[in-house]
Amino acid sequence: MLRSVCSGKASFNQLAIALQDENSSANSSSISKQALHKRINKRAVSFLLQVMKDLLVAPCAGVLTEFKNCGLNRILVEDSTTLRLPKANAEIFPAHGNASGATAGVKCDLC
């Protein structure tokens, strides 16, 4: 599932196909996108978040120890993306114009 999400192919249909491909054997059965949707609940999300934490922290354990000793309390990682919106939203969400006139967009920042 994590590989599918990281590849950007994370619709329930694509996740079900990826799980089927990953677990393909002579007697394995596939899971439907509806059954997968029912299984994604708060407990599943908490579990996957813990798995991601474990996968990210383990390789960095030595580096983290060095950071603790140098007085650095935290590291902030930032990223952003820009989304185009329909031109009808240009008055509320103005973006950079172009030769065709006003455009609409929004920039999302994550830290």
Side-chain angles (χ1 to χ4, degrees):
M1 285 184 68
L2 295 174
R3 187 177 302 132
S4 296
V5 171
C6 290
S7 72
K9 297 178 180 178
S11 70
F12 283 112
N13 190 46
Q14 290 166 325
L15 286 171
I17 291 168
L19 285 170
Q20 182 180 1
D21 292 345
E22 194 70 30
N23 297 315
S24 61
S25 67
N27 60 358
S28 71
S29 59
S30 62
I31 185 170
S32 69
K33 62 182 179 182
Q34 293 85 357
L36 185 60
H37 181 264
K38 287 180 184 178
R39 287 170 174 80
I40 303 296
N41 54 34
K42 287 182 181 181
R43 289 180 56 209
V45 170
S46 294
F47 171 75
L48 291 173
L49 286 172
Q50 185 62 46
V51 168
M52 284 299 295
K53 179 183 173 190
D54 292 345
L55 289 172
L56 292 171
V57 170
C60 301
V63 176
L64 292 175
T65 302
E66 290 182 33
F67 277 121
K68 286 180 185 177
N69 296 334
C70 75
L72 186 65
N73 294 326
R74 64 184 180 168
I75 298 173
L76 301 175
V77 179
E78 296 185 47
D79 195 9
S80 66
T81 188
T82 303
L83 304 170
R84 289 187 299 184
L85 298 174
K87 285 186 179 185
N89 295 322
E91 187 174 318
I92 300 169
F93 297 102
H96 299 289
N98 59 27
S100 302
T103 60
V106 64
K107 184 173 182 182
C108 300
D109 293 306
L110 175 69
C111 180

